[in-house]
Amino acid sequence: MKFMKKTLPFLIFGLLLSGCGTTPSTSSEDIGGSDVSASIPEFKNIALTYGNMITGADGTAMRQLVRKFNEEYEGKIAITETFLPEIDYYESLVATIPIKRSFDVALVHSYRIPSFANKDLLYPLNDLIASTGLSISRDNYIGDVYDAMFYKEKQYGIPLDVHSIMLYYNKDLLAEHGVEVPTNRAELVAAAKKMPNTSAGGYGLPLSTTWPSEYIFTSALYQNSGKEIDPATHMPAYNTQEGLNALKAMTDFVHVDKISPLNVNVDADLLMFHQGKAMFHINGNWMLNGMIDSGINFGVAPLSDILVESANPNSKKIAARSHTFVLPQGRNEALKQKAALVFIKYVTENAHLWAESGGHIPASNIARESEEYLALPHHQTYGDVNNYTLNSVSPYYYEAFSPVFSRVTTALSDANYDGMALLNAAAEEGEQAVVLAQLV
Amino acid sequence: MKEKRKHRLKEHSKRYLTVALFLLPYLAFFTVFFIYPLFFGIYISFFRYNVFEPSKSVFVGFDNYKTAITGLTVGGTNITLYRNMFWGALKNTLLFVGVSVPLLVIIPIFIAILIDIQPRFYKVFRVIFFLPTILSISAVGIIFKWQFDTQYGFINGILGLFGGKQIAWLNSQPYAWIAIVATTIWWTIGTNTVIIGAGLKEVDRQMYEAAEIDGASYPRIVWSVALPAIRNQIFIIVFTTIIASFNIYGQPDILTGGGPTASGTVLAGTPGTTTVVMMVIRGLLQGVNRLPGLAAAMALIFGFFILMVSLIQAGYNKYREKR
């Protein structure tokens, strides 16, 4: 009796707690069109906050995905989305994660994962994914992209998409000059030279000196078998002959082939393409819907083999980034984190909406194999998704690599540039920046 | 007697309490947004400050100041990058102050004098000159980015009409600076024009008439009567414009992104149009691997420069008043 008196309150308390929490489900549940293991808890009114930097046209798709998820999971999981301009968004993450007041789920660019993980700002997902039994694994996503989610052998992200730069072409101008869609650099230059290459008559390939030159240079670096950094030391590795070839591959369009005018400001190249004054245009896949809205008769092709003199084992690579789901460090409540994984899986597997609205390539195989995705005409001409290469993994990637961007701009503006001097100067700056960053 | 003193004391405390209550909101904001950040900035400038785990910050003495002023050797690496950036950005800031301040003072004086004559539609002109001031720098930046565009810009369009060559306003020097200064003038002259205009309104018209009777020409009247009469307003706009110009950030950030580097220049520390405030914010306070200690040290050194300039101005003002 005495024993019962002592233990009864604990038993009642325990029962109450189990009522408020979760009951492991023994039945299979359909999440985002796929079967889920029995170890997924049964969710009841789990409220999650979700932050992202999707404020552009693709924001419509993100809002739609969140709305659809909330409808399907009504009474179980409710997502409240917050979206901010990119700089403010990352500032908010940096400010709120350390005080454990950040979002339950966040979307970040893949290249930020190593630096965030290095500062212990992200929750490692390996055990969490394993504990839910959700089918989130390398086999379900583009392999290389999934691999880029790891830092020091721990997984920190789940990729939503791959986004990169594309070669847009004006179908009318190609037909007018009797040329085919180019598949390598020589074909591109030959086709572009058919244009008058004057401000009145239009240009073959106007290139902005600033944007997206960092994407173009990185792609050129990969295609010329170069690399941004040495992964072992985190130090710059682009001041090499390969780096020089990459720089030349870009700047020759302007200074040698003269298929671009000098000193094109950002977006002026896009305007030329919209106005039918450019045969080709290099820009992100995120501009796809803008192109459709402009009414121009255009097509899209991958940049494989375009930024290198001749084909080689790396010449099909194109520099890419990924919008990636992460769980910021916080209160780390297991139930909420499991609910977050369910949400992430749902969005990545229904990313055909995201692809349609933002022009992106879904990282999930399920999304890419969906009927809706296969019906998107331009996406089918993006080329082999495995060619889209994410950057080298380093927490000091930005410090080591970013000094080269202003040098690329200088080289694009100045026909008499000294390529190796520019790359060496950038590498020297990068090295110093990495040394200092490593001390903090 | 005691009663009287008590009453006076009560009156005094009542008056001081009223004053204190009025001052309190300002003092609270001043403390939170100026005093505290200033002292916190001084404190972290002596640390390799870890924003994520402040307890892991390392005291480094004057290392951040050395990094900014002379460079620092870490291991075998001589860190000169930030020194070069700081001095380069400071040079750029001083160049901007030196070029823009005279223009931002002379042009508003000129416009205010013209408006003071009260020509037809002078009220419309007054509004037109003031209107850009209410725009945000983002809007102004986007407008002028296209005005100065190499291929599509209005300016090159006009030059083209007269057979001029295309100028890469935002991609080459010194044109990038010309574009930034021109944008700043368009955007900010309104306030100075209003201050000078208000000063001119206060000038006794009889002084103009007397000078006219004495045979003075209009330019002479302006030089010898109007300008001396508004010297206080001129001093105020010079003072505020210098400080505002030191803090330039938005114009180069949006128009040129801190570029372009001088043609053929490859060394660090030649930041095309990067200014100190821009470098501290964009270069040192973004991303996870930020360097707040170094940023604070640079901001304090820069603040010291501005303080010196302000003290010189204040000294001149004192001398002027005594004269």
Side-chain angles (χ1 to χ4, degrees):
Chain A
M1 194 63 190
K2 210 174 176 184
F3 171 74
M4 279 299 282
K5 258 187 183 176
K6 272 188 175 175
T7 51
L8 197 61
F10 290 104
L11 280 172
I12 293 168
F13 187 58
L15 281 169
L16 279 172
L17 271 184
S18 66
C20 295
T22 61
T23 317
S25 166
T26 47
S27 62
S28 193
E29 189 183 352
D30 187 66
I31 292 172
S34 62
D35 283 342
V36 169
S37 148
S39 59
I40 281 288
E42 219 168 76
F43 300 109
K44 210 173 172 187
N45 295 326
I46 303 292
L48 295 179
T49 54
Y50 163 46
N52 62 56
M53 61 326 230
I54 311 299
T55 53
D58 38 10
T60 316
M62 189 52 80
R63 282 6 26 114
Q64 203 181 334
L65 280 162
V66 171
R67 198 167 53 245
K68 282 185 78 172
F69 177 86
N70 281 339
E71 281 166 12
E72 280 190 36
Y73 283 82
E74 202 180 346
K76 295 176 183 173
I77 304 169
I79 303 287
T80 306
E81 186 194 5
T82 303
F83 50 93
L84 294 166
E86 192 170 320
I87 292 176
D88 301 336
Y89 172 66
Y90 282 116
E91 280 305 303
S92 84
L93 288 184
V94 168
T96 56
I97 297 176
I99 55 168
K100 302 189 187 307
R101 298 248 169 130
S102 193
F103 305 107
D104 297 311
V105 195
L107 198 68
V108 299
H109 286 98
S110 52
Y111 67 92
R112 297 210 185 232
I113 286 181
S115 59
F116 271 67
N118 192 46
K119 298 283 183 195
D120 197 26
L121 301 180
L122 304 179
Y123 189 84
L125 304 176
N126 314 51
D127 295 342
L128 187 69
I129 293 172
S131 75
T132 61
L134 283 169
S135 54
I136 299 174
S137 68
R138 192 178 193 276
D139 300 338
N140 310 119
Y141 294 86
I142 301 170
D144 286 350
V145 175
Y146 198 81
D147 289 344
M149 304 293 114
F150 286 77
Y151 175 66
K152 290 188 176 172
E153 292 171 17
K154 280 186 184 169
Q155 182 180 352
Y156 288 97
I158 299 167
L160 168 62
D161 67 24
V162 177
H163 54 273
S164 183
I165 46 169
M166 302 284 164
L167 181 69
Y168 292 93
Y169 55 89
N170 182 318
K171 285 182 176 174
D172 295 338
L173 287 176
L174 286 192
E176 191 183 318
H177 292 95
V179 287
E180 295 293 315
V181 179
T183 57
N184 59 43
R185 183 186 176 82
E187 287 176 13
L188 174 90
V189 172
K193 281 189 172 175
K194 303 241 176 188
M195 288 290 286
N197 289 312
T198 59
S199 49
Y203 282 88
L205 174 62
L207 272 186
S208 159
T209 53
T210 49
W211 177 260
S213 58
E214 61 185 71
Y215 262 104
I216 304 174
F217 176 72
T218 315
S219 300
L221 197 61
Y222 294 161
Q223 293 188 15
N224 286 277
S225 304
K227 52 186 179 180
E228 312 104 294
I229 57 160
D230 178 343
T233 62
H234 307 295
M235 291 300 174
Y238 45 79
N239 51 335
T240 56
Q241 186 57 47
E242 290 80 15
L244 202 57
N245 293 343
L247 198 59
K248 190 171 169 355
M250 263 185 96
T251 56
D252 275 4
F253 288 141
V254 183
H255 305 310
V256 177
D257 304 317
K258 298 192 187 297
I259 54 178
S260 168
L262 258 178
N263 296 313
V264 179
N265 290 319
V266 64
D267 287 344
D269 50 346
L270 176 66
L271 191 58
M272 284 185 213
F273 190 75
H274 278 173
Q275 291 179 340
K277 283 187 163 184
M279 183 182 271
F280 299 106
H281 174 60
I282 297 176
N283 213 322
N285 55 246
W286 50 89
M287 299 307 294
L288 185 70
N289 284 324
M291 294 291 179
I292 295 169
D293 293 343
S294 75
I296 196 114
N297 185 18
F298 76 99
V300 193
L303 278 161
S304 294
D305 291 312
I306 298 288
L307 301 162
V308 64
E309 283 301 325
S310 53
N312 67 58
N314 296 309
S315 61
K316 299 216 178 295
K317 287 183 177 177
I318 305 153
R321 289 176 186 166
S322 166
H323 289 112
T324 301
F325 284 108
V326 293
L327 301 190
Q329 289 279 18
R331 290 183 196 143
N332 304 338
E333 295 167 47
L335 187 65
K336 278 194 162 191
Q337 289 181 324
K338 287 178 182 178
L341 285 187
V342 172
F343 168 68
I344 292 168
K345 187 171 158 63
Y346 177 91
V347 176
T348 57
E349 291 182 359
N350 287 282
H352 59 85
L353 278 171
W354 176 245
E356 186 181 356
S357 175
H360 309 300
I361 304 168
S364 155
N365 296 343
I366 292 172
R368 277 197 329 284
E369 285 157 10
S370 67
E371 271 179 36
E372 293 93 336
Y373 181 75
L374 293 171
L376 298 173
H378 294 298
H379 289 69
Q380 309 317 313
T381 62
Y382 282 1
D384 184 352
V385 292
N386 294 306
N387 290 332
Y388 291 97
T389 308
L390 266 56
N391 58 270
S392 308
V393 174
S394 165
Y396 309 106
Y397 177 81
Y398 181 79
E399 283 75 13
F401 192 47
S402 68
V404 83
F405 303 148
S406 65
R407 272 59 185 211
V408 171
T409 298
T410 303
L412 282 166
S413 303
D414 179 7
N416 301 314
Y417 73 90
D418 180 341
M420 198 42 98
L422 286 171
L423 294 177
N424 281 336
E428 191 188 324
E429 264 186 39
E431 201 175 316
Q432 292 180 20
V434 172
V435 168
L436 212 56
Q438 281 175 328
L439 293 175
V440 179
Chain B
M1 192 68 185
K2 206 178 174 187
E3 202 50 36
K4 207 174 173 185
R5 199 188 296 164
K6 210 174 171 184
H7 178 73
R8 204 189 300 161
L9 199 72
K10 203 177 167 187
E11 278 298 304
H12 270 285
S13 37
K14 208 174 162 186
R15 198 186 307 158
Y16 283 122
L17 200 70
T18 314
V19 172
L21 275 174
F22 275 109
L23 281 175
L24 202 64
Y26 171 77
L27 283 175
F29 276 94
F30 188 69
T31 308
V32 172
F33 295 109
F34 186 80
I35 300 288
Y36 172 71
L38 175 68
F39 283 98
F40 187 68
I42 294 170
Y43 170 74
I44 67 168
S45 72
F46 295 106
F47 283 84
R48 199 168 289 130
Y49 193 73
N50 187 326
V51 280
F52 305 110
E53 285 181 81
S55 60
K56 285 190 178 171
S57 301
V58 180
F59 180 75
V60 290
F62 285 96
D63 272 9
N64 286 323
Y65 291 91
K66 274 190 212 161
T67 309
I69 298 169
T70 60
L72 185 75
T73 304
V74 177
T77 313
N78 196 13
I79 313 276
T80 53
L81 159 68
Y82 299 102
R83 175 200 71 186
N84 295 341
M85 281 170 66
F86 179 67
W87 288 112
L90 186 62
K91 204 173 115 191
N92 282 343
T93 309
L94 291 172
L95 174 77
F96 177 78
V97 172
V99 175
S100 70
V101 171
L103 294 170
L104 289 170
V105 172
I106 293 166
I107 296 173
I109 290 173
F110 185 70
I111 294 169
I113 287 168
L114 290 181
I115 288 175
D116 194 53
I117 297 169
Q118 299 190 350
R120 257 181 117 183
F121 309 121
Y122 76 96
K123 284 184 180 167
V124 177
F125 286 120
R126 202 159 52 190
V127 172
I128 288 171
F129 283 116
F130 188 72
L131 218 52
T133 313
I134 64 168
L135 295 176
S136 73
I137 184 57
S138 313
V140 173
I142 291 165
I143 292 168
F144 277 87
K145 205 169 178 161
W146 282 106
Q147 302 303 319
F148 286 112
D149 188 79
T150 317
Q151 283 79 29
Y152 289 98
F154 174 75
I155 313 288
N156 273 355
I158 296 285
L159 288 176
L161 282 179
F162 296 100
K165 275 177 78 177
Q166 275 188 348
I167 292 173
W169 289 99
L170 305 177
N171 303 79
S172 61
Q173 297 285 21
Y175 303 107
W177 274 119
I178 294 172
I180 288 168
V181 170
T183 304
T184 308
I185 290 170
W186 185 84
W187 182 39
T188 60
I189 52 165
T191 311
N192 287 356
T193 308
V194 166
I195 293 170
I196 297 293
L200 286 170
K201 267 199 155 142
E202 296 303 311
V203 181
D204 190 348
R205 297 277 140 181
Q206 286 181 356
M207 286 168 71
Y208 288 174
E209 282 160 20
E212 219 175 308
I213 290 164
D214 288 346
S217 62
Y218 188 71
R220 184 61 200 247
I221 293 172
V222 168
W223 184 255
S224 302
V225 178
L227 290 183
I230 57 164
R231 63 183 185 277
N232 287 335
Q233 283 81 359
I234 293 174
F235 180 77
I236 285 167
I237 67 166
V238 170
F239 191 82
T240 53
T241 307
I242 286 177
I243 291 173
S245 298
F246 265 116
N247 288 315
I248 180 178
Y249 172 56
Q251 298 93 306
D253 190 46
I254 296 172
L255 287 174
T256 62
T261 50
S263 182
T265 305
V266 294
L267 293 173
T270 48
T273 51
T274 302
T275 57
V276 175
V277 178
M278 193 177 164
M279 189 201 69
V280 167
I281 293 173
R282 273 173 61 122
L284 301 170
L285 287 176
Q286 284 184 2
V288 168
N289 298 321
R290 59 189 56 197
L291 302 167
L294 179 58
M298 284 188 183
L300 285 163
I301 300 166
F302 184 56
F304 181 75
F305 264 91
I306 300 180
L307 185 69
M308 286 297 111
V309 173
S310 303
L311 286 175
I312 291 168
Q313 284 180 304
Y316 173 73
N317 191 35
K318 223 170 181 182
Y319 162 77
R320 205 170 52 97
E321 277 170 0
K322 271 186 187 167
R323 213 167 46 157

